[in-house]
Amino acid sequence: MNNLIYNARMALRDVMEVNIYTQGNDKVFLTVFPELVWEGTEKTQPEKVVRNVIGRLHDMDLDVEGGEAAVKTLLDAGAVEIVRRAA
């Protein structure tokens, strides 16, 4: 579990709009706050922000439980579990 949370934090180390946490049950969770993201003077699209976060997890061989349903959960400020990508 320590390695999982470490990898997730490393993948998202420069993304301020996320919260990565564990409840002590060997599961790591992610919440995203896409409304906090701004690019210059234009507000970015929240779905784009969420997909970028998931893409960064993929770069570290991690994924979120639920696939496409996880995008909606994150957009609704819900939490999703971070898991290792299936081989």
Side-chain angles (χ1 to χ4, degrees):
M1 192 277 301
N2 289 337
N3 195 26
L4 181 61
I5 199 166
Y6 174 80
N7 287 344
R9 286 188 173 152
M10 291 285 64
L12 302 172
R13 68 185 170 272
D14 59 347
V15 180
M16 296 181 345
E17 301 79 21
V18 298
N19 183 26
I20 302 166
Y21 64 95
T22 182
Q23 296 176 335
N25 56 2
D26 292 335
K27 292 184 178 185
V28 177
F29 296 93
L30 169 73
T31 54
V32 178
F33 309 104
E35 67 276 2
L36 299 178
V37 177
W38 292 79
E39 284 183 3
T41 58
E42 292 293 320
K43 192 169 181 181
T44 61
Q45 297 175 349
E47 184 174 343
K48 190 177 184 181
V49 173
V50 169
R51 292 191 184 279
N52 182 38
V53 166
I54 293 172
R56 287 173 176 250
L57 289 174
H58 288 170
D59 291 345
M60 293 290 284
D61 291 327
L62 302 172
D63 205 350
V64 290
E65 190 72 34
E68 280 298 310
V71 173
K72 180 169 177 15
T73 301
L74 289 169
L75 286 171
D76 293 337
V80 295
E81 184 181 353
I82 297 175
V83 296
R84 298 194 191 289
R85 282 182 88 170

